Structures are given as C-alpha cells and as structure tokens.
Amino acid sequence: MKLTLEVRKGLASEDRLVPAPDADTARAALRSLDGAQISQLVADDEQGHVLLIGGGNDGRFVVNYLVNDDEHGFHVVNPHGTPEDVAVVTGGQLGSFRGDMVVGERLAVDALVHFIATGQRCGTLTWEQEF
C-alpha cells in the first residue's frame, strides 16, 4: 500500500510519501489536509485500486474510489448532503461539488482506514458509481 500527500508549493506540487501506512498514520495524513497547502491524499494498493481524498477546507472532503486506471469510479455519498453545490479545494484547485458528494472527517476517515486495511471500498458507507 502506498499513501501520498500532494503538497503545493506555489503553482507547483510535490508528492510526500507516508511510510508504512496504517490506521493511525492514515488518520494523521487525512487530518493534515488543509484545503490550501495540502489538499489531496492518494492511497494506492498498487493492484489497480486507488482512493483519492481531496479537501480539508472547513472539514469538507470528497472521497473517490477508482478501479484499473479509471475503468470504474465511485464517490462516497453524504446521506445528509444537499443538492446545492459546495466549494471544496482538491489538488490545489477550488471546485464545486454537489452537497451529497461532500463528506465530513468521520466518513472520510472510515473510507481511508478501511481502504488501507483491505484495498477495497468500505461496505458501511454508501457509494455512488460515476462511471
């Protein structure tokens, strides 16, 4: 399992590897997302499954799960989200996402910790297939 944080330096970015990720280091990595200098986390099982988490600004996160280089894509659904757009910074860019695509820290942590342990989507969360 490989876990990296995208760290912005002006217009450029660099990847910071999180060594030997486990539940505790995964939680700490997620909590380092601030929506400014660090706004994207990538967990890769190196077998075709990737979990992307963007955000951190105002405790807002967008969680995506990709299979085989974008063959299939899913996002975590916020059961309390609204259809109105919400602003979230991901990968250094401000974007608008449907409110039901934006989750709080608890759901993002659940998705990440489960993925780190299994390389799969967390079955206790609701996922919507995008493609």
Side-chain angles (χ1 to χ4, degrees), residues 8-109:
R8 306 295 301 176
K9 297 190 181 235
L11 295 177
S13 68
E14 66 180 39
D15 290 339
R16 180 185 304 155
L17 185 64
V18 177
D22 60 15
D24 290 334
T25 57
R27 282 186 194 93
L30 180 81
R31 289 182 179 126
S32 74
L33 295 180
D34 60 11
Q37 184 182 10
I38 304 172
S39 64
Q40 185 163 282
L41 174 154
V42 179
D44 186 339
D45 74 351
E46 301 181 275
Q47 296 178 15
H49 304 104
V50 175
L51 189 77
L52 299 170
I53 301 178
N57 56 305
D58 300 322
R60 300 174 180 159
F61 301 91
V62 177
V63 180
N64 293 287
Y65 175 81
L66 304 173
V67 180
N68 295 330
D69 292 325
D70 298 340
E71 180 179 308
H72 300 289
F74 304 83
H75 68 264
V76 173
V77 174
N78 179 348
H80 306 292
T82 64
E84 290 83 30
D85 284 350
V86 176
V88 179
V89 177
T90 62
Q93 301 291 318
L94 180 64
S96 291
F97 298 87
R98 282 191 341 252
D100 65 347
M101 293 179 68
V102 179
V103 301
E105 184 178 302
R106 185 183 62 78
L107 295 182
V109 165

